[in-house]
Amino acid sequence: MTALAHVPTSTGQPAGPPPPPRHDRHRLLPYLLLLPGAAWLLLFFAVPLFQLAAASLYDPTGSLSTGYALTWAFGNYPDVLQAYWPQFARSFGYAGIALLLALLMGYPLAYAIAQKAGRWKNLLLVCVVAPMFTSFLVRTLAWKTILSDNGWLVGLLRDVHLLGPDGRLLATPVAVVLGLTYNFLPFLVLPLYASLERLDYRLLEAASDLYASPVQIFRKVTLPLSMPGLIAGTLLFFIPATGDYINAELLGTPNEYMIGNVIDSAFLVRLDYPQGAALSFLLMAAILAVVFGYLRRAGTEEVL
Amino acid sequence: MKFSRWLADHWVMGVALLVLGYLSLPILVVAALSFNRPSSRLSYDFNEFTLDNWRQPCATSDMCDAVLRSVQIGFIATVVATVLGTLMAFALVRHRFTGRSGINLLIFLPMATPELVMGTSLLALFVSAGVPQGFWTVVIAHVMFCVSFVVVTVKARLAGMDRRLEEAAADLYASPWQTFRLVTLPLVLPGIVAAALLAFSLSFDDFIITNFNAGTTVTFPMYVWGAAQRGIPPQVNVIGTAMFVIALLLVGLTSLRGRRSRRAGLPVAPAAGRRAKSPT
Amino acid sequence: MTGMSAKTTGRAAPAGDLRLVNLTKRFGIFTAVDDLSLTIPQGSFFALLGASGCGKTTTLRMIAGLEQPTSGQVLLGDRDIARLRPYKRPVNTVFQSYALFPHLNIFENVAFGLRRRGIRSVDDEVLRMLALVQLDDFGHRRPAQLSGGQQQRVALARALINQPQVLLLDEPLGALDLKLRRQMQIELKRIQTEVGITFVHVTHDQEEAMTMADTVAVMNAGRIEQLGAPADMYEYPATAFVANFLGQSNLLAAEAAGGSGSEVPVTAHGARFSVPAGRARADRGEVYLGVRPEKLHLADSADQVPAGHQHVTGVVSDASYVGVSTQYLVRTGWGSELSAFAANSGLGGRLPVGAAVVAHWDPRHAFLLPRAPGQDDRTAGLLDEPVGASS
Ligand SMILES: Nc1ncnc2c1ncn2[C@@H]1O[C@H](COP(=O)(O)OP(=O)(O)O)[C@@H](O)[C@H]1O
Ligand SMILES: [Mg+2]
């Protein structure tokens, strides 16, 4: 149910004529209405980002008990990159592979619900959202049962020799990627569904009337018209997947740790704030770079 | 020939159903495990059927405390976020003011920022300001990431509302306050309720941001996280299943109500709507 | 219902006419309503007619108080209400797409205005109103459960129940299909006569305006082009716009030399014609000589033209049979196509395309209008439907 509201393309300005100008005494009203919410977001979203930036430049030799000094220690950044580049690479690698899998699964699913499901549409939609009705962590733990060494899935794969006699799924990169794909798939499907639902079936008929093969119809009509949903869905999938560390922790081993695991332990176990803050900031910068690079290539600035 | 034609028409649906299976599998497993008597604390495999977990969901009292705390936090965060977000949505849809794009950005960014970054930056703030972390810092954090979702949800409803209804009320002698109370509010209410439900579910299920800001306070997701290391009590699956069933009931109820009120009320120009939909 | 109208006039005693004085509305640099002045007599059925986008809705909204005029006055009797809030005005509106409250049932929709004015026992009044619009048993339904025509009547009842001094109707029949529209036109007229309230009815359907209203104002680009009784306006339009907006006209570019007597002589395309002085809006310089298509008769040869008629010769270039009449296009020697409607009364034969004909008219049916310099003939195209045919 998160993703429904997540779609950034769906709500722009209100449709129709612009609201009529209010009388003078209403001029202050919008600011009064905005004040509490905006103040909250400024104080607890924007200001902390600056605090995080500051913390990433603390003297790395300090500690929580002795206190940190802001020494503009830019050296923290190369240091953490050197120490944790594998986790960084893994975060983007796993999220990228999971995204590919999710696209392969999510596009047909969204398309089928939008264009083929008829009166089952709403039911199927509920099925897509249903996983989010229960706790993220509990669901992820259920994969532990499904992928378990004694489970039927591993047994089956061993029987058909897709896995060796003591091959495993759990505690492997496969499990982590499967978990990521599963957990964030609805965020990809819902916006995609929203734009495919708006697609007029007659356009497809018109295309086939004009001698387009099914593959050509997909490439020339369906895909371009679903682009806004595809872009939104991709971002909604990729951003949380990259920052996730629950799947790596529960379904993987330290060999599968992503950058989130490192940040978690930096802040909560090792209490090394400069390092944790630098990693966090790098993560945000990297994600922003990927997102903007992607948006530029996809050619749709309107999504933001 | 016939079969390949059939396959061409139906393979998408086939793939879709397989993917839905993939999405539904874990829920089925959670439901099944809620009836499981595990062979050992650390085992995740199905062992033996039992109703004990459902009879005594609070056998591990820590867990029920955590659930209760999550409900409390979710409730407070939902009320605050819904009020703040609804006010913002009204300002954005109903008023012209300078600084609109800045406000839009401020609302959009929290939805696009990784939770990890929000959680750690808030932690950095609280630590440097010397604020002890606990119940209230979690509430603050939850309100922060819920507000944007409330704004977006209420805004959509508000923007879709016919301004002429309010003009009609004014034309029929309703003062601005009466117009708001008798026309605007009842019509926007479904959006506000949806936003509140969304906020509650976001808050209840949040782990990452909570984890960085909870101090020693334990919410349900944090309890599960901790228990995953020590061994999960099967009652966790009872809670998971119960949450699922409650949410499903809520959705079923609202969609039933929605269908009834769609038949009996909401669209202002049903004829026009129908014309736009059906390609005749 | 007599009790009702008696009560209405009782309440409306201090009211009087609705007067718009130099009313102007600008949206940024765009002028939607331009220095509009008109008087709407109390108790009359007034139609504001104009093409879409000409400023009709904006005018109504200023009367209702939903839009602030940029300048000008809205006078009800002697009182300037232009700056009053909408809920303080004795004016009610039937909105373009009804704007019924979807969350309230029909009864509550109709009772809304009474309740806001603090009237406690509304039952009798509401039931009487529902009876007036023939929706007696629909009180408990929601708006979406009604058909378009029924919704329209609820919107009417919801406004009328307040016994406003002026009722504003913004294209109230626009969303209805043709048959229902005809029916509701008659209904509306009946109700207006019954309650005696001033109706200001906005429409872009010239036929609707003509059949319903006592007075019609034709609006164009934010201004009133002409105002008057429908028949007067049709028979003797004031501008080329009105001549072609209310029905169709053949307008021939002509020069008038000014007349001293009862006739104004004009020259058009080298031929000489004349028009009675009482039917000349302009009698000097560049003018249009106008003849309605149904006043243009066709004859085989010049000797069949009745005495006193004036004529031009031409060739039938198109004939289309529309049942009640046949519409001909006659191409004149100088290349314009005049349109002529011949009633299929069975008296004359049908003329084939290509036939040489003489188009003639009684000068008492012609009229002269001012013409902007350089403007050529304006003749009605064949595709426009004639007045009287169902549109
Ligand atoms: N709120 C507004 N802001 C800007 N322009 C407007 C507004 N309302 C109406 N207009 C413009 O004023 C003109 C007249 O509109 P309207 O009165 O609605 O026309 P009508 O009802 O005759 O079709 C139109 O060109 C319309 O675009
Ligand atoms: Mg209009």
Side-chain angles (χ1 to χ4, degrees), chain B residues 189-211:
Chain B
L189 202 59
I192 298 177
V193 171
L197 287 175
L198 178 65
F200 185 83
S201 73
L202 285 174
S203 162
F204 190 88
D205 201 26
D206 179 75
F207 171 72
I208 295 183
I209 295 179
T210 312
N211 190 31

Side-chain angles (χ1 to χ4, degrees), chain B:
Chain B
M1 190 60 216
K2 270 222 169 119
F3 177 73
S4 70
R5 184 69 197 258
W6 184 89
L7 195 69
D9 283 348
H10 293 277
W11 71 269
V12 178
M13 206 41 162
V15 173
L17 290 178
L18 281 179
V19 176
L20 275 184
Y22 170 68
L23 280 174
S24 315
L25 190 56
I27 304 171
L28 300 179
V29 171
V30 171
L33 288 179
S34 73
F35 297 104
N36 181 31
R37 191 196 311 278
S39 52
S40 74
R41 276 185 70 86
L42 282 168
S43 161
Y44 287 92
D45 298 327
F46 196 88
N47 181 43
E48 189 187 335
F49 181 87
T50 174
L51 285 174
D52 289 354
N53 307 326
W54 283 92
R55 281 205 202 95
Q56 292 160 316
C58 286
T60 39
S61 64
D62 296 0
M63 188 193 75
C64 279
D65 291 347
V67 171
L68 189 65
R69 202 154 303 113
S70 275
V71 171
Q72 288 168 337
I73 290 170
F75 185 77
I76 301 172
T78 298
V79 171
V80 178
T82 305
V83 171
L84 298 189
T86 302
L87 293 181
M88 289 181 99
F90 266 91
L92 284 169
V93 177
R94 288 305 169 80
H95 294 274
R96 280 203 264 196
F97 56 91
T98 40
R100 171 185 293 272
S101 53
I103 292 288
N104 276 330
L105 191 68
L106 192 61
I107 289 163
F108 172 73
L109 276 181
M111 298 191 287
T113 307
E115 286 192 60
L116 201 55
V117 175
M118 289 193 279
T120 53
S121 60
L122 207 48
L123 167 68
L125 178 78
F126 286 139
V127 168
S128 80
V131 178
Q133 293 191 312
F135 186 91
W136 291 105
T137 52
V138 175
V139 171
I140 286 174
H142 284 198
V143 171
M144 182 269 291
F145 70 74
C146 288
V147 163
S148 301
F149 291 96
V150 174
V151 174
V152 171
T153 312
V154 177
K155 217 172 100 177
R157 176 87 192 177
L158 205 50
M161 208 183 111
D162 189 353
R163 282 304 289 271
R164 265 171 312 193
L165 294 173
E166 282 154 305
E167 294 180 347
D171 188 59
L172 295 166
Y173 312 103
S175 65
W177 167 244
Q178 286 175 323
T179 301
F180 178 78
R181 189 167 56 84
L182 297 168
V183 176
T184 316
L185 196 59
L187 290 174
V188 183
L189 202 59
I192 298 177
V193 171
L197 287 175
L198 178 65
F200 185 83
S201 73
L202 285 174
S203 162
F204 190 88
D205 201 26
D206 179 75
F207 171 72
I208 295 183
I209 295 179
T210 312
N211 190 31
F212 286 106
N213 291 288
T216 54
T217 302
V218 178
T219 63
F220 178 66
M222 289 189 61
Y223 174 83
V224 178
W225 178 259
Q229 263 95 64
R230 290 173 274 116
I232 296 276
Q235 284 85 354
V236 162
N237 294 307
V238 173
I239 301 294
T241 311
M243 270 169 73
F244 178 77
V245 172
I246 291 172
L248 206 59
L249 284 179
L250 268 176
V251 168
L253 262 171
T254 47
S255 89
L256 267 187
R257 273 197 50 154
R259 198 171 308 161
R260 203 174 324 129
S261 70
R262 217 170 305 130
R263 232 185 291 125
L266 276 174
V268 182
R274 229 175 293 136
R275 210 175 308 130
K277 277 247 171 73
S278 67
T280 42

Side-chain angles (χ1 to χ4, degrees), chain C residues 57 96 170-171:
Chain C
T57 297
Q96 196 155 7
D170 192 357
E171 311 212 6

